[in-house]
């Protein structure tokens, strides 16, 4: 329903929605320098992922909803670990994973993935190698969540959102190195702008914490 470049540029606005949530619900303010540092970050991702932008109305609504939910998830996770509960990262995973598994199975059933997987297994395609690859992927996802939650606790929800934008640029960079992905001058310039924006944001946050 949407092109990948459009999806990426929409996802790059998660820091903006994170700030809005903090301002509206927690009356938290940020320095002018923090706001300004987000401009090159979002602009850089837009240039880095520049391509064929297209979307349907439903696709736009769903993508926007996904962006808002990503910001909400980051803020709520931070509050659970730094608020009154002060839950550790592993306990949040322990409580969330069963719910996430149920949700995944439910959606897989609706979209027909469960039936397709059953046919895949019955056809003898689920080899030991594939099973090990799936288990390895699950382990990597687990480690990713632990490190992400712990970083969220220490650095804050907005910083995690900013890191998400940097991740998009690093993904493109790894694509160039590992898979010989061809990018244009605009895309390369976008990666540079985004990384400069991230460095500027880091400097602003470190200076702010130093003053506090």
């Amino acid at each position: 329903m949407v092109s990948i470049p459009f999806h990426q540029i929409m996802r790059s606005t998660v820091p903006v929605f994170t700030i809005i949530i903090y301002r509206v619900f927690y009356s938290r303010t940020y320095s002018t320098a923090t706001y300004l540092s987000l401009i090159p970050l979002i602009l850089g991702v837009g240039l880095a992922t520049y391509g064929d932008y297209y979307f349907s109305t439903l696709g736009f609504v769903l993508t926007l909803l996904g962006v808002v939910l990503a910001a909400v998830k980051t803020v709520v996770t931070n509050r659970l670990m730094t608020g009154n509960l002060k839950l550790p990262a592993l306990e949040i995973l322990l409580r969330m994973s069963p719910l996430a598994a149920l949700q995944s199975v439910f959606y897989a059933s609706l979209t027909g993935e469960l039936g397709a997987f059953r046919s895949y297994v019955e056809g003898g395609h689920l080899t030991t190698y594939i099973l090990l690859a799936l288990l390895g992927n699950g382990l990597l996802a687990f480690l990713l969540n632990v490190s992400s939650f712990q970083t969220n606790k220490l650095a804050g929800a907005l910083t995690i959102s900013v890191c998400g934008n940097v991740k998009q640029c690093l993904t493109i960079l790894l694509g160039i190195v590992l898979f010989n992905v061809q990018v244009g001058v605009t895309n390369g310039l976008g990666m540079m702008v985004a990384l400069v924006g991230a460095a500027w944001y880091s400097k602003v946050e470190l200076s702010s914490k130093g003053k506090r």
Side-chain angles (χ1 to χ4, degrees):
M1 289 182 282
V2 300
S3 64
I4 291 177
F6 177 79
H7 182 270
Q8 296 294 81
I9 190 65
M10 286 290 289
R11 288 286 297 183
S12 70
T13 61
V14 171
V16 175
F17 286 95
T18 303
I19 288 177
I20 291 173
I21 291 171
Y22 270 122
R23 287 187 65 94
V24 173
F25 294 99
Y26 301 104
S27 302
R28 181 172 176 177
T29 57
Y30 294 89
S31 66
T32 303
T34 298
Y35 293 126
L36 292 176
S37 67
L38 295 179
I39 295 175
L41 191 64
I42 296 173
L43 177 63
V45 172
L47 292 173
T49 59
Y50 178 75
D52 186 16
Y53 294 121
Y54 68 84
F55 57 91
S56 64
T57 302
L58 180 59
F60 173 79
V61 171
L62 290 176
T63 304
L64 180 62
L65 178 62
V67 169
V68 173
L69 288 176
V72 170
K73 182 203 74 171
T74 307
V75 173
V76 169
T77 303
N78 179 265
R79 298 299 300 176
L80 286 173
M81 291 189 293
T82 60
N84 295 330
L85 293 176
K86 289 184 170 56
L87 296 177
L90 286 175
E91 179 151 2
I92 290 180
L93 274 177
L94 177 66
R95 295 176 182 275
M96 287 178 59
S97 295
L99 298 174
L102 288 174
Q103 183 186 33
S104 296
V105 171
F106 175 70
Y107 283 126
S109 178
L110 286 181
T111 58
E113 282 190 66
L114 282 183
F117 181 70
R118 190 181 302 111
S119 300
Y120 184 83
V121 174
E122 291 173 352
H125 301 296
L126 188 62
T127 62
T128 303
Y129 173 78
I130 295 294
L131 189 59
L132 288 175
L134 287 172
L135 290 173
N137 188 55
L139 177 61
L140 287 175
F142 168 73
L143 295 174
L144 170 64
N145 277 301
V146 172
S147 60
S148 176
F149 286 162
Q150 193 63 29
T151 305
N152 191 337
K153 179 180 180 178
L154 297 174
L158 181 58
T159 299
I160 281 291
S161 300
V162 168
C163 287
N165 283 10
V166 176
K167 180 188 72 175
Q168 293 190 44
C169 294
L170 293 179
T171 301
I172 297 172
L173 187 61
L174 284 174
I176 296 172
V177 175
L178 297 176
F179 305 111
N180 296 317
V181 173
Q182 301 297 317
V183 297
V185 176
T186 303
N187 305 120
L189 178 63
M191 286 189 284
M192 290 296 298
V193 171
L195 293 176
V196 168
W200 183 11
Y201 171 83
S202 299
K203 183 179 184 301
V204 169
E205 284 298 292
L206 286 173
S207 299
S208 176
K209 288 182 178 180
K211 290 177 182 178
R212 288 199 298 268

